[in-house]
Amino acid sequence: MARPDILNPLFASVSTVKGVGPQLSKLMATFFGAPENQDAILLDVLMHMPSGIIDRRQQPGVQFAQPGTVSTFLLHIDRHIPPPRSNNRLPYRIEAHDESGEIAISYFAGRASWLEKTLPVGEKRYVSGLVTFYHGIPQLNHPDYIVAEDKFDELPLVEPVYPLTQGLTSKKLQLATQHALAKLPIVPEWIAQSRLEANGWPSFNKAMRDTHDPQTPADAKIEGAARARLAYDEYFAGQLTLQLVRATMTRESGVKRVLTGDISKKVIAALPFELTNGQNQAVADIEDDLRSNRKMARLVQGDVGSGKTVVALLAMAAMAEAGHQSALMAPTEILATQHFATIASIGEKAGLKVALLTGKMPAGERRSIQTQIETGEIDIVVGTHALFQSSVVFKSLGLTVVDEQHRFGVHQRLALSEKGRKTELLVMTATPIPRTLVLTHFGDMDVSLLKEKPAGRQPIDTAILSAGEYDRVIARLKAKVDEGAQAFWVCPLVEESENLDLVSAEDRHKALRQVFGDRVGLVHGRMKADEKQLVMEQFQRNELSILVATTVIEVGVDVPNATIMIIEHAERFGLSQLHQLRGRVGRGDQRSACLLLHGDKLTEMAQARLKTIRSTEDGFEIAEKDLELRGQGDLLGTRQSGMPGFRIAIPDFHKDLLELAHDDAVHLLEQNPGLQGSEGEAARTLLYLFRKDLAIPLIRAG
C-alpha cells in the first residue's frame, strides 16, 4: 500500500522552504538524521520538538521592569550613541523611554546603518528581550524582537525554543516550522474517541499547532495535553510495529512439540546446583510455549550471574526431546566459546551432542561440523552470527537462542527465524531492562525474569576511592595476588588520548608489569579476536594474575577464581556498564571486591552513579536509576544500534503512556488484524507519519 496522498506535502524537502539554501538544507539533513544522500523533509521539522518556551506576554512598563525577566515594551526611540572609534569594545547604545521611565538598548559590534533603520529616532517600536540593570538603569542587550507599532501581531508572544546546532539559527528553524505547519493536513483519527475525551487530548493537527505555534505557555508544555497526545502517538506507532513483527513471527502456527522430559531430567541431575525459583518458572514458561501451537518469541531477562545459560540449555534439551536441533548465537567468539564450554560439559552427560562453530575455525573442522549439522547428528550448535550464513544447513532447526539481544534489532530477529520456517525464538539478556524499555524494544516478545542469584554466590564488597590512593590500592592488590587471587583492572581508553586526561589500558598495563612482572595481561577491542582469545584463556587457566582490559570484558567472561575488580576512572562509565563489569567477579564461592577509582572532579551525576553502585547489587534497581540519570538511548547502546530512540516522547514524563499504547496496539490488532476499513486506514497513516512504513508489508492480508 502506497503512502496516503494527504501526507505527500510533509514529505517535501526542506529546500522547498524560502530561505533554506543548499548549505542549510545539508546541515538540516545531518541534524535531523536523514538517510544518506537524502534531504531532511518537512515532517522532520515538525517532529523536532521545542525544549522550552519564552513568554513575551509581560508588558510591565519600563519603571516596573524586573531584572532577569523577558519583557516587551512599546518604546519611543530618543537617540543613538555609537561607541568612540578609539574604543570599539564599548557597546552601541540607544536611549529610549515609555510613559513610565527610561531604558537603554545596547549592541556590541552593532552596525550603525542597520540600527538606525531598525530603531529610527523619533519613532515608536515594540522591543522584546531579557531585562538587565546597569548603574540602576534598565537595559535590553541585543533584544530578540523589534517590530513597528502597527506590526505587533508579528511578534511571537509565546515562543517555542528548540535544540539547535552550529549554523542553524532559531529564526531559520522557525521559518521552516511555520512552512511545515501550513502544509499539515487534517489526518484521520487513530485514537478512540473515549481515549481522547478521557485524557482531554486535541487532534493530531491541533496538537502539532499547539506545540509549534502556542498561544499560551500551557499549550506547549512538555507535560501538557498536546505534547502528551503526540508522545502517545509515537509510542503507539512503535508498539503497533512491534505487534506486527510479532504477528509475523508467530503467524505461521508453530508446531505443538511433544516433550518427554527425559533429557531435561538428565540435565538437571548433572547440574552442580539447584535451580532457583526464577529458573524453574522460566523453564515452565518455555515448555508451555513449546507445547502450544503458536511460535515462541520469549525474552529471558536476568541479572549478571542469574543463570540464563542453564535456562537456555533446558530449552534446547526440551527441543531435542521433540526431535529437533537448536542453535545458540552469541555476539562474540569469546562468549560463544564460553557458552560452549558450559553447555557441552553438562549437555553431554545428558546424551546431547554439542558443537561449536565460529568463523575462525580451520576449514576442514568447519566442514566436518557443517556436515554433522546437515545430517542431524548434532543436537545443539553454539556460535556467532556465522551460524546464519547460507552455507550452514540444518536438518531440522527447531529453536534459535540469541544471547545479548540488545545488539540485534527487530529486523535481525525476523531474519534469524527464517533459517527454520517453524523455529521458536528465545532471547537472553544480562542487561536488566526497566519495564518501559522492555515494552519499547521487545514489545513483540513475552518476558521471563530471573531475579535471584544461584545459591552459593557471594555478595561483592564495593568501595569508592580517589585515584590519589593508587599506591594503597597496589599494596592491597599485591597482598591478595600473593595469596593466589586474580584481578581485573578496567580502563576506559585503549591508548593515550590528547583530549582526555585519563590513564589508558596500555599505560596501566606497562605500569602494573613493573610491579607484577609477566603475570599481567592486556585485552582491548582493537586486538584481533584470536589474540584476545589467547590472553583470556591464559587468564582463565590462572597463568596471569591480573588482566588489564577495556570494556570488552563487560559481557559474559567467566573466571570463577577472579575475585577483584578495579575500575579506573569509574566516573566515565554508565551505571549499567559498571554493574556489568562488577558482575565479572563474585562468580565462585569466595568473597569478592570491586574498587571504583575516580578522578578529582566529580560531577553530581557521576557521584550519584557511584553511590548507587555502592549501595545495591540489584540490577533492575540500577537499570531504573540509570534510565532516570541517563535516558534510554544510552542504556541499551541504542544510539549506535539503530533501535528506536524517541523524538517526541520523554520517558520520564510519558512513561505511563507507553503501557497504554502497548495495550491499545495489542487490542487493535486482535480486533482488526488486517487493519481494514477507516480504522485501519487511520492506523496506516500513523505508521507513515512516524516513519514505521517498514511494518506496512507485515500487515496480514484480509
Side-chain angles (χ1 to χ4, degrees):
M1 173 200 157
R3 180 170 71 224
D5 289 343
I6 57 164
L7 297 184
N8 288 341
L10 295 181
F11 283 77
S13 161
V14 290
S15 62
T16 58
V17 178
K18 201 174 165 194
V20 176
Q23 204 175 349
L24 189 53
S25 174
K26 199 172 168 189
L27 182 75
M28 287 167 108
T30 308
F31 184 52
F32 293 130
E36 217 169 321
N37 302 325
Q38 287 183 30
D39 282 354
I41 58 174
L42 296 179
L43 184 59
D44 291 323
V45 177
L46 287 180
M47 293 294 180
H48 185 60
M49 292 285 119
S51 53
I53 287 291
I54 297 177
D55 185 355
R56 305 188 181 284
R57 294 174 306 169
Q58 282 189 25
Q59 297 182 53
V62 168
Q63 186 188 339
F64 308 105
Q66 296 293 316
T69 59
V70 172
S71 301
T72 302
F73 307 95
L74 178 58
L75 299 176
H76 184 278
I77 309 304
D78 297 327
R79 70 181 185 131
H80 284 234
I81 309 167
R85 289 201 170 152
S86 59
N87 188 353
N88 60 7
R89 291 213 303 253
L90 286 175
Y92 188 114
R93 285 169 58 79
I94 297 151
E95 291 179 347
H97 73 275
D98 70 3
E99 290 155 13
S100 70
E102 295 181 350
I103 190 166
I105 302 167
S106 58
Y107 284 88
F108 286 87
R111 274 201 345 266
S113 57
W114 180 80
L115 289 169
E116 282 160 8
K117 200 170 109 190
T118 309
L119 292 159
V121 171
E123 291 192 24
K124 284 186 172 180
R125 289 289 182 267
Y126 278 103
V127 185
S128 183
L130 182 71
V131 178
T132 57
F133 274 70
Y134 182 69
H135 292 322
I137 295 172
Q139 304 255 347
L140 289 169
N141 293 327
H142 294 268
D144 301 326
Y145 286 93
I146 300 167
V147 298
E149 197 174 359
D150 58 349
K151 297 270 175 70
F152 181 66
D153 57 346
E154 288 179 15
L155 180 72
L157 291 180
V158 180
E159 184 190 359
V161 182
Y162 295 89
L164 299 168
T165 185
Q166 186 81 41
L168 177 62
T169 64
S170 183
K171 295 255 164 48
K172 289 287 188 197
L173 184 59
Q174 293 275 13
L175 194 75
T177 305
Q178 292 308 315
H179 183 86
L181 280 179
K183 303 280 185 193
L184 183 64
I186 302 289
V187 293
E189 184 54 80
W190 47 81
I191 302 180
Q193 196 56 37
S194 56
R195 172 83 70 224
L196 286 175
E197 285 169 10
N199 291 293
W201 287 343
S203 68
F204 178 80
N205 185 297
K206 185 167 178 350
M208 274 293 178
R209 288 180 193 286
D210 284 354
T211 301
H212 291 296
D213 190 13
Q215 302 309 299
T216 72
D219 289 345
K221 265 191 164 158
I222 284 174
E223 59 275 33
R227 192 68 182 270
R229 148 86 211 220
L230 296 174
Y232 169 88
D233 291 339
E234 185 173 32
Y235 282 152
F236 188 41
Q239 292 302 310
L240 211 45
T241 303
L242 284 170
Q243 290 309 315
L244 287 165
V245 169
R246 181 189 178 94
T248 305
M249 293 176 77
T250 59
R251 178 177 304 153
E252 311 129 26
S253 56
V255 178
K256 283 187 178 177
R257 315 282 180 183
V258 179
L259 312 180
T260 61
D262 297 349
I263 302 176
S264 303
K265 280 182 193 133
K266 288 180 187 161
V267 168
I268 290 170
L271 292 174
F273 50 77
E274 295 268 301
L275 293 180
T276 64
N277 295 336
Q279 285 173 317
N280 278 319
Q281 184 55 55
V283 171
D285 292 343
I286 290 164
E287 289 178 350
D288 287 348
D289 290 346
L290 298 181
R291 289 192 181 99
S292 80
N293 62 0
R294 71 180 190 105
K295 276 167 69 174
M296 171 167 80
R298 182 170 291 280
L299 175 71
V300 176
Q301 240 196 299
D303 205 346
V304 181
S306 57
K308 295 174 298 296
T309 312
V310 170
V311 171
L313 174 55
L314 283 163
M316 296 189 286
M319 192 45 77
E321 291 166 8
H324 301 280
Q325 294 163 297
S326 298
L328 188 155
M329 174 163 126
T332 64
E333 300 221 346
I334 289 178
L335 258 180
T337 308
Q338 199 166 284
H339 278 313
F340 170 69
T342 308
I343 285 168
S345 67
I346 298 168
E348 283 167 5
K349 289 178 190 163
L352 291 167
K353 183 134 195 241
V354 186
L356 177 67
L357 188 67
T358 67
K360 294 277 185 289
M361 283 182 153
E365 190 181 343
R366 199 184 153 83
R367 272 198 302 276
S368 156
I369 289 171
Q370 284 180 336
T371 306
Q372 293 174 64
I373 293 171
E374 200 168 343
T375 57
E377 287 168 64
I378 288 174
D379 300 303
I380 295 173
V381 192
V382 181
T384 54
H385 50 269
L387 289 179
F388 290 91
Q389 290 166 353
S390 53
S391 59
V392 181
V393 180
F394 290 84
K395 182 181 183 194
S396 171
L397 179 64
L399 172 65
T400 303
V401 181
V402 181
D403 190 24
E404 282 312 310
Q405 166 67 23
H406 64 272
R407 318 271 164 118
F408 303 94
V410 167
H411 299 294
Q412 286 94 322
R413 302 218 267 278
L414 282 170
L416 292 181
S417 292
E418 293 300 300
K419 265 287 178 191
R421 288 306 312 169
K422 302 282 186 190
T423 359
E424 321 279 352
L425 179 65
L426 182 67
V427 155
M428 307 192 288
T429 176
T431 311
I433 309 170
R435 172 148 175 80
T436 43
L437 294 193
V438 169
L439 284 182
T440 312
H441 301 284
F442 309 106
D444 54 326
M445 309 192 85
D446 296 309
V447 181
S448 295
L449 287 184
L450 302 179
K451 286 241 171 180
E452 320 109 296
K453 291 200 172 173
R457 283 280 162 98
Q458 297 290 327
I460 301 167
D461 300 319
T462 303
I464 300 172
L465 291 173
S466 143
E469 310 220 32
Y470 176 75
D471 293 340
R472 201 176 128 213
V473 171
I474 291 293
R476 281 176 62 185
L477 182 58
K478 191 154 180 18
K480 287 285 181 194
V481 164
D482 289 346
E483 290 168 14
Q486 284 179 281
F488 290 100
W489 191 302
V490 178
C491 298
L493 301 177
V494 174
E495 55 194 38
E496 206 175 352
S497 152
E498 286 175 24
N499 311 335
L500 295 170
D501 184 20
L502 303 176
V503 179
S504 73
E506 290 179 345
D507 290 347
R508 180 55 67 225
H509 177 239
K510 279 183 202 141
L512 290 173
R513 279 183 76 95
Q514 288 172 2
V515 182
F516 296 94
D518 55 11
R519 299 276 300 169
V520 186
L522 172 67
V523 289
H524 57 70
R526 292 196 198 153
M527 289 163 68
K528 292 189 176 125
D530 42 1
E531 290 173 356
K532 278 192 290 205
Q533 186 83 22
L534 186 69
V535 179
M536 298 298 297
E537 283 170 2
Q538 288 175 319
F539 189 57
Q540 278 168 323
R541 292 196 297 264
N542 204 352
E543 290 163 19
L544 297 172
S545 300
I546 299 170
L547 184 65
V548 179
T550 54
T551 54
V552 290
I553 59 142
E554 180 187 339
V555 172
V557 178
D558 202 358
V559 184
N561 191 51
T563 54
I564 299 164
M565 168 63 70
I566 297 168
I567 303 173
E568 196 156 6
H569 293 294
E571 75 277 9
R572 306 281 309 183
F573 296 94
L575 256 180
S576 288
Q577 224 177 6
L578 288 171
H579 180 61
Q580 292 288 331
L581 289 167
R582 175 171 62 183
R584 299 297 110 227
V585 297
R587 295 180 153 249
D589 48 11
Q590 295 172 52
R591 190 117 191 173
S592 294
C594 173
L595 292 184
L596 306 173
L597 295 180
H598 62 77
D600 300 337
K601 299 184 184 76
L602 279 188
T603 62
E604 276 181 41
M605 191 197 262
Q607 285 175 356
R609 282 209 288 264
L610 297 182
K611 280 182 186 154
T612 301
I613 281 288
R614 188 176 59 192
S615 65
T616 179
E617 280 189 59
D618 181 333
F620 289 92
E621 195 181 314
I622 286 168
E624 291 286 355
K625 186 75 179 164
D626 207 8
L627 181 64
E628 198 181 298
L629 289 174
R630 292 208 298 166
Q632 63 121 27
D634 295 335
L635 200 59
L636 290 181
T638 58
R639 302 229 188 283
Q640 290 78 35
S641 67
M643 279 204 164
F646 294 114
R647 298 178 81 163
I648 296 177
I650 296 173
D652 291 359
F653 283 107
H654 302 127
K655 56 173 168 258
D656 44 344
L657 296 178
L658 184 57
E659 303 253 353
L660 217 57
H662 173 74
D663 295 346
D664 289 352
V666 171
H667 178 73
L668 174 61
L669 285 175
E670 276 172 359
Q671 301 300 312
N672 186 354
L675 293 182
Q676 301 292 320
S678 58
E679 179 185 57
E681 184 198 344
R684 289 165 195 248
T685 304
L686 167 79
L687 292 173
Y688 276 107
L689 272 171
F690 283 89
R691 316 292 278 279
K692 302 287 187 192
D693 34 299
L694 281 167
I696 302 274
L698 304 180
I699 297 167
R700 181 151 75 193

